[in-house]
């Protein structure tokens, strides 16, 4: 043998070899044929079982025997791949109508493996008989098997549209297919309508084929997706589990899942739901139980008392395979190549196949009938001259001589002469002559009928319709999947995701925020909060994990922070800076914080700036769904800054204090409700070089404490204030001095239960009792409490 070395480029070799491989797995492995809906391995399994007599009306046979037959004669691949394909054909949660009946463990919806092939037994199902029926009547082309020892069918006769009824799934090189199962009665009815009217539209076909009909039932949503898939071959639907609500004896409710989406692993689904419960991703689930038994699938999700079962179900639809998307990708082999097909094309291809099968079968039956007719006519002729025929045969030397004499003397054909010499003596009775005449008449009628079918296309279609109608009557079942026109919107209720817990939210002046359990807060006390040196508590709020914190900054922006997203940190620990949650600008800092529960439009936020601007906005405007960056609460000019935030639920009185000691008091109804991006209106008419120090709600039971830059404190009663209109100059609170007049640097509204004050400088603080600061009249500067030369410049005042 001579050695031949070819000099080829690697690119050409790889391209050629992979091209051949791709062509093979596309055509001969992964994709179904549009005519019989089967992949090659499935076709070979069914044919091997049929050929060996392993049919539904016989006893079961060991699966290993079938696998051996398939490998030995038709499918030169591993026994595992053949057995796996065989098992799938027997699983009633994968196929709408199983093609193989199997005794023994054939797997489960939990994706448990089937028992080994040596343990299980199988035979063709009754409906499989309709796929292989008439295969021995030259109805389909055969080809040599892989070792040329026998032949195998290239396609099965398929008396029912199996591709749509049982669907198919597969992945090959560059192509994939996902064709869902359908209801047999609906598909056949649509096929019959297509025969009557080849121009029927997809919309008209959908009167009969409502949509997929999964063996696992469940609810299909999205008629538009079904229609698109039936038109183009591609479309998307939602498949949702069937979930009922049952009430237990103890008053608790449980969600009971009785049907799950197609090809969802039940055990993995149960495990996922239980993990969500254990990880507290969803609050309200007490226990998850798989109660599936021989009567049917059942998953029980027991809920805690007073839990919104619809909200829990919606969360599970969103976050588990209790609801999945199913994408149609109806690719099948048509005319030897992969093709994306709509429902009309699939039905049309199937009908063309049936026309071909019925034509070939009719021709085969006609040939058989004509051959028999020829023999019967010869026998009848022989019986009419029986004595002469017998005498001729007796005088012949042997069988061959007898045949030749019959042909020569009486003009019988070879086939007729063979039948005459093989005739048994008992057939020479008078009764048999009558039977031959009857058979002749019957054969004549059959031949006329078969010729009519071959000559008349409508008659041939009538045969197909009759056979399809017969199959529909025999195998039809009720639809299992319910179809809903629209895809339901899933609304996730926050209460379901987050366990409800009362907590303390705290914010420091330097912007550190945290949530703390009541246990940690009560064990430490307010004074023991963990803060950095130079920092102090700005505010702490009793709130709930279901609430949302609104943290306002000096730039007129706010941070939308769900409380449950804050880390649970001990009261004595520092917490995290707000800029780690939402990025802030370098010169931006926190000035106040509030917590909202439901954002109902029954309250307002009033925002006031240093330069005397003010606005009022409804609480409902502050709700948002995207909160990964600061949001605008008020449009603020570059040289201005927000200094105060107030939340009001009814009309209140506002008071404004300025640096130069001016005060303006007016009702909040002077402010109209504006949007978040508005700049607001003028609150007070400021003098030159003056600015606002305080804008707050004030009531008759309040007093106001002011700190001046010279270290004096002044406290006035509510009666000193004079109610006026917005945007006026206001009244003067301080006594004017020619040299170094007092200027207000900080102020607070004192509530009836406040008892102490603290003033701050850059490096120290001084505290005292509010009662020691006597109420004064309008034109006074108060009394000195610190020496600013020693204490430092006052920058804050706090009362508590």
């Amino acid at each position: 043998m001579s050695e031949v070395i070819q000099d080829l480029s690697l690119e050409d070799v790889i391209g050629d070899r992979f091209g051949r491989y791709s062509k093979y797995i596309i055509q001969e492995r992964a994709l179904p044929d549009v005519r019989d809906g089967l992949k090659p391995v499935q076709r070979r399994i069914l044919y091997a079982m049929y050929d060996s007599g392993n049919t539904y009306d016989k006893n079961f046979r060991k699966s290993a025997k079938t696998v051996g037959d398939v490998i030995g004669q038709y499918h030169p691949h591993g026994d595992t791949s053949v057995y796996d394909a065989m098992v799938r054909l027997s699983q009633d949660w994968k196929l709408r109508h199983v093609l193989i009946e199997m005794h023994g463990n054939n797997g489960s919806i939990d994706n448990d493996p089937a028992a080994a092939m040596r343990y299980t037994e199988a035979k063709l199902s009754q409906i499989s008989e309709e796929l292989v029926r008439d295969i021995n009547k030259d109805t389909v082309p055969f080809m040599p098997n892989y070792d040329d020892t026998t032949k195998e069918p290239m396609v099965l006769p398929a008396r029912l549209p199996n591709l749509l009824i049982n669907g198919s799934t597969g992945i090959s090189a560059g192509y994939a297919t996902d064709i869902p199962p359908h209801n047999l009665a609906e598909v056949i009815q649509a096929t019959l309508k297509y025969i009557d009217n080849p121009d029927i539209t997809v919309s008209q076909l959908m009167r009969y084929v409502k949509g997929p009909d999964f063996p696992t039932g469940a609810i299909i949503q999205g008629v538009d997706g079904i229609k698109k898939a039936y038109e183009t071959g591609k479309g998307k639907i939602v498949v949702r589990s069937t979930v009922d609500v049952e009430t237990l004896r103890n008053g608790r409710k449980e969600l009971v899942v009785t049907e799950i989406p197609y090809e969802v692993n039940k055990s993995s689904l149960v495990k996922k739901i239980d993990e969500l419960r254990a990880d507290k991703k969803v609050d309200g689930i007490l226990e998850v139980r798989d109660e599936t038994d021989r009567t049917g699938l059942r998953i029980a999700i027991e809920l805690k008392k007073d839990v919104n079962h619809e909200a829990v179900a919606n969360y599970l639809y969103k976050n588990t395979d209790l609801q999945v998307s199913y994408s149609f990708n109806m690719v099948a082999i048509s005319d030897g190549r992969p093709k994306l097909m709509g429902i009309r094309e699939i039905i049309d291809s199937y009908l063309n196949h049936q026309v071909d099968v019925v034509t070939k079968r009719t021709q085969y039956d006609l040939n058989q009938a004509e051959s028999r007719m020829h023999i019967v006519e010869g026998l009848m002729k022989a019986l009419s001259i029986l004595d002469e025929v017998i005498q001729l045969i007796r005088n012949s030397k042997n069988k061959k001589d007898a045949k030749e004499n019959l042909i020569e003397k009486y003009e019988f054909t070879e086939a007729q002469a063979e039948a005459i010499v093989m005739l048994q003596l008992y057939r020479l009775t008078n009764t048999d002559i009558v039977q031959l005449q009857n058979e002749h008449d019957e054969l004549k009628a059959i031949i006329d009928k078969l010729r009519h079918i071959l000559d008349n296309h409508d008659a041939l279609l009538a045969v197909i319709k009759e056979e399809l109608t017969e199959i529909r009557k025999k195998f039809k079942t009720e639809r299992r999947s319910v179809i809903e026109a629209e895809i339901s919107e899933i609304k996730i209720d926050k209460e379901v995701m987050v366990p409800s817990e009362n907590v303390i939210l705290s914010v420091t002046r330097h912007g550190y925020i945290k949530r703390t359990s009541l246990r940690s807060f009560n064990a430490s006390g307010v004074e023991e909060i963990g803060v950095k040196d130079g920092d102090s508590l700005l505010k702490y709020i009793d709130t709930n994990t279901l609430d949302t914190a609104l943290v306002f900054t000096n730039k007129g922006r706010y941070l939308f922070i769900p409380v449950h997203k804050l880390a649970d940190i001990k009261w004595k620990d520092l917490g995290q800076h707000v800029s780690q949650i939402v990025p802030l600008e370098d010169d931006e800092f926190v000035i106040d914080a509030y917590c909202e529960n439901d954002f109902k439009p029954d309250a307002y936020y009033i925002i006031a700036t240093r330069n005397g601007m003010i606005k009022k906005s409804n609480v409902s405007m502050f709700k948002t769904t995207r909160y990964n960056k600061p949001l605008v609460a008020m449009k603020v000019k570059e040289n201005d800054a927000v200094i105060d935030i107030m939340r009001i639920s009814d009309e209140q009185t506002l008071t404004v204090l300025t640096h130069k000691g001016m005060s303006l008091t007016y009702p909040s109804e002077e402010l109209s409700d504006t949007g978040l991006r508005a700049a607001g209106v003028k609150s007070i008419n400021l003098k030159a070089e003056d600015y606002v120090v305080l804008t707050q709600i004030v009531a008759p039971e309040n007093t106001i404490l002011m700190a001046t830059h010279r270290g004096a404190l002044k406290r006035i009663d509510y009666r000193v204030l004079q109610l006026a209109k917005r945007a006026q100059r206001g009244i003067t609170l301080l006594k004017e001095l020619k040299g170094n007049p007092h200027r207000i640097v900080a102020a607070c509204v004192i509530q009836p239960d406040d008892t102490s004050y603290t003033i701050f400088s850059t490096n120290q603080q001084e505290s005292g009792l509010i009662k020691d600061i006597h109420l004064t009249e309008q034109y006074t500067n108060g009394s000195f409490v610190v020496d600013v030369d020693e204490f430092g410049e006052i920058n804050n005042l706090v009362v508590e």
Side-chain angles (χ1 to χ4, degrees):
M1 185 169 68
S2 62
E3 185 181 71
V4 178
I5 298 175
Q6 292 180 293
D7 187 9
L8 301 170
S9 71
L10 182 63
E11 183 180 356
D12 292 341
V13 172
I14 296 292
D16 176 63
R17 302 298 190 274
F18 190 77
R20 289 191 219 171
Y21 167 73
S22 300
K23 182 175 184 290
Y24 170 76
I25 63 170
I26 289 169
Q27 293 180 331
E28 302 294 333
R29 185 181 294 180
L31 300 181
D33 192 295
V34 70
R35 296 170 291 178
D36 61 4
L38 297 172
K39 301 177 185 179
V41 66
Q42 297 170 332
R43 188 179 302 116
R44 287 164 175 167
I45 290 168
L46 297 182
Y47 180 69
M49 294 177 77
Y50 172 79
D51 194 45
S52 63
N54 191 14
T55 52
Y56 83 95
D57 52 348
K58 308 279 178 50
N59 291 331
F60 284 86
R61 185 180 296 173
K62 281 289 183 186
S63 299
K65 171 73 166 60
T66 299
V67 172
D69 289 344
V70 174
I71 292 173
Q73 296 187 83
Y74 309 114
H75 200 67
H77 298 280
D79 59 345
T80 303
S81 63
V82 174
Y83 184 56
D84 287 348
M86 186 175 169
V87 166
R88 194 181 195 278
L89 292 174
S90 74
Q91 294 176 330
D92 59 6
W93 59 94
K94 296 279 190 185
L95 271 67
R96 190 61 180 80
H97 292 268
V98 295
L99 302 180
I100 291 176
E101 291 181 25
M102 188 171 283
H103 270 178
N105 173 16
N106 68 332
S108 75
I109 200 169
D110 293 330
N111 211 26
D112 296 320
M117 68 180 84
R118 62 182 177 274
Y119 298 118
T120 58
E121 297 178 335
K123 64 179 180 179
L124 288 179
S125 68
Q126 190 172 0
I127 202 168
S128 290
E129 295 284 309
E130 305 301 336
L131 291 176
V132 294
R133 187 183 296 276
D134 301 326
I135 198 169
N136 294 326
K137 292 186 176 183
D138 298 337
T139 50
V140 291
F142 277 70
M143 62 182 178
N145 70 336
Y146 65 90
D147 61 359
D148 286 339
T149 57
T150 185
K151 292 197 171 186
E152 62 173 303
M154 297 176 68
V155 68
L156 297 186
R159 284 181 61 186
L160 68 157
N162 181 58
L163 183 62
L164 285 173
I165 291 168
N166 275 324
S168 187
T169 180
I171 300 172
S172 66
Y175 290 92
T177 185
D178 266 303
I179 303 173
H182 291 78
N183 186 274
L184 178 143
E186 291 181 1
V187 171
I188 290 180
Q189 183 65 22
T191 306
L192 295 174
K193 295 296 180 183
Y194 187 90
I195 293 172
D196 292 336
N197 178 18
D199 296 325
I200 192 170
T201 64
V202 169
S203 298
Q204 290 171 327
L205 281 175
M206 286 182 67
R207 295 177 188 172
Y208 311 105
V209 182
K210 309 295 183 187
D213 187 23
F214 296 115
T216 50
I219 299 166
I220 297 169
Q221 295 181 336
V223 170
D224 290 343
I226 296 172
K227 186 177 181 184
K228 184 180 177 184
Y230 286 171
E231 287 175 342
T232 65
K234 280 184 177 287
K236 191 175 182 181
I237 55 174
V238 166
V239 187
R240 172 178 286 194
S241 300
T242 301
V243 181
D244 299 316
V245 181
E246 294 182 3
T247 304
L248 303 174
R249 289 182 180 178
N250 54 19
R252 282 198 289 263
K253 291 184 178 179
E254 68 177 6
L255 301 174
V256 178
V257 182
T258 53
E259 294 174 356
I260 61 176
Y262 183 55
E263 292 196 325
V264 166
N265 185 324
K266 173 172 64 66
S267 61
S268 298
L269 173 61
V270 173
K271 183 181 178 184
K272 175 66 175 177
I273 296 172
D274 200 44
E275 284 175 354
L276 292 175
R277 177 200 61 79
D279 296 343
K280 296 185 178 178
K281 295 284 182 67
V282 54
D283 190 43
I285 296 180
L286 200 64
E287 187 182 6
V288 183
R289 298 184 304 275
D290 186 353
E291 298 178 351
T292 303
D293 56 20
R294 67 182 61 191
T295 61
L297 185 144
R298 180 182 169 95
I299 302 170
I301 305 168
E302 190 172 340
L303 306 178
K304 296 175 182 177
K305 276 194 174 179
D306 304 323
V307 168
N308 184 342
H309 63 84
E310 288 184 4
V312 173
N314 279 342
Y315 183 85
L316 295 180
Y317 287 142
K318 182 78 172 177
N319 294 281
T320 71
D321 283 345
L322 217 55
Q323 175 173 307
V324 299
S325 293
Y326 182 93
S327 296
F328 289 76
N329 186 28
M330 301 203 292
V331 176
I333 300 296
S334 176
D335 297 326
R337 63 185 60 196
K339 186 177 180 184
L340 184 67
M341 311 175 81
I343 191 170
R344 292 184 75 258
E345 292 171 286
I346 292 175
I347 292 175
D348 184 62
S349 297
Y350 169 74
L351 278 177
N352 289 337
H353 175 56
Q354 282 307 291
V355 167
D356 187 46
V357 166
V358 173
T359 299
K360 288 179 177 177
R361 184 189 69 196
T362 306
Q363 187 63 57
Y364 178 88
D365 289 341
L366 178 61
N367 293 340
Q368 294 296 106
E370 287 179 338
S371 296
R372 179 59 184 167
M373 182 84 154
H374 183 63
I375 299 298
V376 169
E377 287 174 344
L379 291 175
M380 290 174 65
K381 179 180 176 182
L383 289 175
S384 67
I385 52 172
L386 182 58
D387 293 339
E388 291 90 332
V389 169
I390 293 173
Q391 186 64 41
L392 185 146
I393 293 173
R394 288 188 67 182
N395 294 334
S396 300
K397 298 176 184 178
N398 50 36
K399 176 184 173 184
K400 182 180 179 183
D401 188 39
K403 286 171 59 179
E404 290 174 352
N405 291 335
L406 286 170
I407 294 170
E408 182 180 348
K409 186 170 184 179
Y410 298 111
E411 297 182 348
F412 287 110
T413 63
E414 172 77 22
Q416 289 174 332
E418 176 71 22
I420 291 168
V421 299
M422 297 299 291
L423 196 65
Q424 294 172 313
L425 290 173
Y426 81 88
R427 301 290 301 273
L428 304 178
T429 62
N430 289 328
T431 306
D432 200 61
I433 295 172
V434 175
Q435 287 179 343
L436 284 172
Q437 184 62 51
N438 291 340
E439 185 179 358
H440 182 274
D441 295 341
E442 289 174 5
L443 286 170
K444 188 175 186 308
I446 290 171
I447 290 169
D448 290 343
K449 180 181 177 183
L450 294 174
R451 283 178 176 163
H452 176 66
I453 292 171
L454 290 174
D455 295 340
N456 189 319
H457 188 68
D458 290 339
L460 188 143
L461 291 177
V463 171
I464 296 173
K465 289 176 66 175
E466 183 181 346
E467 292 180 353
L468 285 173
T469 304
E470 179 187 336
I471 291 171
R472 184 182 63 184
K473 289 178 181 177
K474 190 173 181 180
F475 296 106
K476 70 176 179 180
T477 57
E478 292 297 319
R479 165 172 277 280
R480 294 180 188 174
S481 295
V482 176
I483 293 181
E484 295 178 353
E486 301 297 328
I487 296 175
S488 301
E489 182 183 357
I490 300 177
K491 293 182 179 179
I492 302 297
D493 194 335
K494 185 171 65 176
E495 294 180 17
V496 174
M497 295 187 289
V498 182
S500 177
E501 180 188 356
N502 291 326
V503 293
I504 301 294
L505 177 104
S506 61
V507 183
T508 71
R509 296 185 186 279
H510 288 181
Y512 285 88
I513 188 169
K514 67 186 174 188
R515 72 175 165 98
T516 305
S517 66
L518 291 177
R519 182 178 178 183
S520 175
F521 176 76
N522 293 331
S524 302
V526 179
E527 296 79 11
E528 296 186 36
I529 184 173
V531 292
K532 283 188 172 183
D533 291 340
D535 195 8
S536 61
L537 180 66
L538 172 66
K539 195 172 193 178
Y540 74 92
I541 310 167
D542 282 309
T543 186
N544 190 282
T545 49
L546 299 176
D547 295 346
T548 301
L550 300 182
V551 180
F552 294 89
T553 74
N554 62 314
K555 295 278 190 178
R557 304 196 297 179
Y558 73 100
L559 317 181
F560 187 99
I561 306 174
V563 174
H564 70 88
K565 287 189 176 291
L566 292 171
D568 188 4
I569 299 173
K570 292 180 181 178
W571 187 250
K572 291 184 178 181
D573 293 339
L574 184 61
Q576 61 187 140
H577 199 270
V578 290
S579 61
Q580 294 177 292
I581 304 169
V582 182
L584 298 179
E585 295 178 4
D586 292 339
D587 57 346
E588 190 170 12
F589 55 86
V590 173
I591 58 167
D592 208 343
Y594 290 89
C595 283
E596 292 292 341
N597 176 258
D598 50 20
F599 290 89
K600 288 184 178 177
D602 55 0
Y604 296 89
Y605 280 108
I606 295 177
I607 306 173
T609 74
R610 174 187 172 94
N611 287 351
M613 301 301 289
I614 194 167
K615 69 174 286 192
K616 181 174 75 172
S617 296
N618 195 285
V619 164
S620 61
M621 294 182 181
F622 290 83
K623 187 172 184 179
T624 184
T625 54
R626 300 182 67 182
Y627 41 81
N628 56 352
K629 63 180 182 179
L631 304 160
V632 175
M634 179 181 186
K635 187 176 180 181
V636 178
K637 292 182 179 179
E638 282 188 19
N639 60 344
D640 200 1
V642 173
I643 57 169
D644 283 301
I645 311 287
M646 295 143 278
R647 186 185 191 279
I648 63 171
S649 55
D650 51 19
E651 294 302 332
Q652 301 283 353
T653 302
L654 304 176
T655 190
V656 184
L657 295 183
T658 74
H659 180 60
K660 289 187 175 182
M662 302 302 293
S663 170
L664 178 65
T665 305
Y666 59 87
S668 62
E669 60 191 25
E670 293 258 327
L671 303 174
S672 57
D673 185 5
T674 58
L676 296 186
R677 293 189 173 274
V681 294
K682 185 181 286 189
S683 174
I684 186 171
N685 187 10
L686 293 171
K687 295 180 180 178
E689 298 181 359
D690 198 5
Y691 60 85
V692 176
V693 174
L694 169 84
T695 302
Q696 278 296 337
I697 298 166
V698 67
E701 64 271 17
N702 298 139
T703 59
I704 297 175
L705 183 64
M706 296 163 274
T708 73
H709 78 294
R710 293 178 58 181
L713 289 182
K714 174 175 179 173
R715 185 160 74 103
I716 63 171
D717 191 53
Y718 174 82
R719 289 172 298 177
V720 175
L721 305 174
Q722 297 176 11
L723 204 62
K725 295 284 187 181
R726 176 183 61 79
Q728 295 181 359
R729 185 61 58 88
I731 61 172
T732 303
L733 293 181
L734 297 179
K735 184 179 179 180
E736 280 292 340
L737 300 175
K738 289 185 179 179
N740 194 16
H742 285 265
R743 295 290 183 250
I744 299 173
V745 291
C748 287
V749 174
I750 299 170
Q751 304 300 329
D753 53 354
D754 291 335
T755 57
S756 63
Y757 67 86
T758 304
I759 54 176
F760 296 86
S761 70
T762 307
N763 52 16
Q764 59 183 310
Q765 60 189 56
E766 182 78 29
S767 298
L769 297 176
I770 291 173
K771 66 179 181 178
D772 294 337
I773 308 299
H774 299 293
L775 294 168
T776 58
E777 294 301 320
Q778 184 175 346
Y779 300 107
T780 63
N781 291 322
S783 53
F784 289 96
V785 290
V786 292
D787 183 348
V788 291
D789 293 333
E790 296 179 1
F791 183 74
E793 184 180 342
I794 296 171
N795 57 25
N796 204 3
L797 171 65
V798 176
V799 296
E800 52 190 1

